[in-house]
Amino acid sequence: MNINVIGVPLFYGCDRKGVDLSPNKLRENGIIKIIENHNHNVYDMGNIYVPEVSEEDKYAEHSKMKYLKEIVDVNKNLAHQVYTSISSGNFPLVIGGDHALGLGSLKGVNRKYSKLAVVWIDAHGDINTHETTPSGNIHGMPLAAAMGIGHENLTSLYYHGVNVDPENVFLIAARDLDEGETKIIKDNKINLYSTNNIKELGIEAIMKDVIDKLKAKDIDAVHLSFDIDCLDSNLVPGTGTPVGDGINISEGKYALKSLLETKLVCSLDFVELNTKLDSSDKTLNLCLDLIDWISEHL
Ligand SMILES: NC(=[NH2+])NCCC[C@H](N)C(=O)O
Ligand SMILES: [Mn+2]
Ligand SMILES: [Mn+2]
């Protein structure tokens, strides 16, 4: 497979430095070679440019969305990079950075595939809007925006077109949802598989259900967004918003493998590694192992 690796050194979405260093940190530790070892042609597209802005200006554009302008600018460029990657037959592997990059990757894929499903593997829903956010952090909003829910600047940042149908959205490993998010999930009939559901029924049964549903739908492709905080907080000290009672590594790998084996996945985000918070490269090494696993099954 031809894979475009696109780095997004963005921390504005989580408002916590360190996550911006990860694309280069992963390169220094051999991410490109790791992917190539699985017989892929890898094109390292470098990093999307992230403009500098001072802390005091973070609310300059909006009182409930920090760094709005910069995040929109970065994501417009990312969206186009993702769109052109897919259009030229290459698979975009987007490396974060924080999850606000989901805004751009989803817009880019959605422009190509109007009947798109999204699998969001994350402790969080990332389905807030400027009206529901408890933090003002835009990394908690990209999935809502992809469905056309939220502020206009986020919902149509790259093109005014079809949005993702909420019934084609699958949240997996969620366990830290805000009140507003729970309401949006219910009102829009989003498919929710909490960590409790996984513990109860087993990851195999959960993924079977997800994949059966995906196959029964009239969709063109699946976008997979993997936030490393889906894993239990003990496993990922190097992430900004860790949550306990999470899934373990083999459950995470099973979810990834079973989805990739469907061959429906057309693009993938890998986000929220913060190497500054890591303890003796534990999370970094786990991420390299997960990238190796993903590459094996792509
Ligand atoms: N991509 C993430 N790690 N998101 C965490 C979001 C946390 C919280 N729900 C918020 O909106 O601020
Ligand atoms: Mn997330
Ligand atoms: Mn998360």
Side-chain angles (χ1 to χ4, degrees):
M1 185 182 278
N2 294 328
I3 298 176
N4 287 1
V5 172
I6 306 166
V8 188
L10 182 69
F11 78 90
Y12 296 142
C14 63
D15 195 17
R16 187 166 192 176
K17 278 194 179 160
V19 68
D20 48 318
L21 307 173
S22 297
N24 285 349
K25 188 88 181 177
L26 287 162
R27 285 188 183 94
E28 285 156 23
N29 286 276
I31 185 177
I32 302 297
K33 205 82 237 104
I34 288 172
I35 307 168
E36 281 172 345
N37 281 343
H38 295 283
N39 287 323
H40 298 298
N41 298 315
V42 184
Y43 302 90
D44 186 348
M45 309 304 283
N47 291 337
I48 301 284
Y49 171 69
V50 177
E52 294 251 354
V53 57
S54 68
E55 271 254 36
E56 307 91 74
D57 289 337
K58 64 183 171 193
Y59 289 110
E61 294 274 312
H62 197 283
S63 63
K64 290 283 162 55
M65 288 187 283
K66 299 177 199 167
Y67 302 103
L68 176 60
K69 185 181 181 319
E70 292 71 27
I71 290 174
V72 167
D73 285 349
V74 168
N75 276 293
K76 270 187 206 162
N77 288 329
L78 173 61
H80 197 60
Q81 184 82 256
V82 167
Y83 173 70
T84 50
S85 296
I86 298 183
S87 300
S88 62
N90 291 11
F91 184 100
L93 177 57
V94 182
I95 305 288
D98 70 59
H99 221 162
L101 64 77
L103 290 163
S105 57
L106 269 164
K107 283 291 166 194
V109 196
N110 203 185
R111 180 174 169 197
K112 182 72 194 173
Y113 297 117
S114 57
K115 290 186 270 179
L116 183 69
V118 178
V119 177
W120 200 268
I121 308 182
D122 197 325
H124 308 94
D126 295 346
I127 219 154
N128 273 304
T129 70
H130 57 293
E131 283 162 330
T132 64
T133 176
S135 62
N137 293 332
I138 294 181
H139 76 155
M141 309 180 192
L143 189 51
M147 297 181 291
I149 301 169
H151 196 276
E152 156 87 27
N153 291 23
L154 301 185
T155 55
S156 41
L157 67 76
Y158 177 57
Y159 77 114
H160 296 270
V162 203
N163 294 312
V164 176
D165 180 344
E167 294 186 31
N168 290 345
V169 171
F170 295 78
L171 276 177
I172 298 176
R175 57 191 180 279
D176 185 8
L177 298 170
D178 300 318
E179 226 178 281
E181 293 185 297
T182 306
K183 183 168 174 4
I184 292 173
I185 290 168
K186 268 210 180 117
D187 290 352
N188 294 281
K189 301 202 188 73
I190 291 165
N191 304 280
L192 171 65
Y193 300 85
S194 67
T195 314
N196 278 342
N197 296 147
I198 297 174
K199 299 293 168 201
E200 212 174 291
L201 300 170
I203 190 72
E204 291 84 0
I206 295 289
M207 294 315 297
K208 184 180 181 309
D209 196 62
V210 171
I211 290 165
D212 284 349
K213 287 201 172 118
L214 284 172
K215 286 184 172 163
K217 282 179 184 291
D218 178 27
I219 51 162
D220 302 322
V222 174
H223 174 77
L224 175 52
S225 212
F226 187 83
D227 182 330
I228 64 166
D229 69 29
C230 65
L231 298 165
D232 186 76
S233 51
N234 284 319
L235 301 167
V236 286
T239 196
T241 44
V243 187
D245 289 324
I247 58 173
N248 62 36
I249 296 170
S250 58
E251 288 165 330
K253 283 187 170 177
Y254 186 86
L256 288 166
K257 175 174 183 270
S258 56
L259 286 164
L260 294 172
E261 281 177 351
T262 64
K263 299 295 163 198
L264 288 169
V265 178
C266 68
S267 50
L268 198 152
D269 310 320
F270 190 94
V271 301
E272 297 283 352
L273 166 63
N274 186 326
T275 51
K276 262 196 183 165
L277 302 173
D278 208 0
S279 70
S280 47
D281 290 344
K282 179 174 172 170
T283 320
L284 173 68
N285 289 323
L286 173 57
C287 286
L288 292 165
D289 180 42
L290 289 168
I291 294 287
D292 184 52
W293 179 260
I294 288 167
S295 308
E296 185 185 336
H297 297 284
L298 263 178

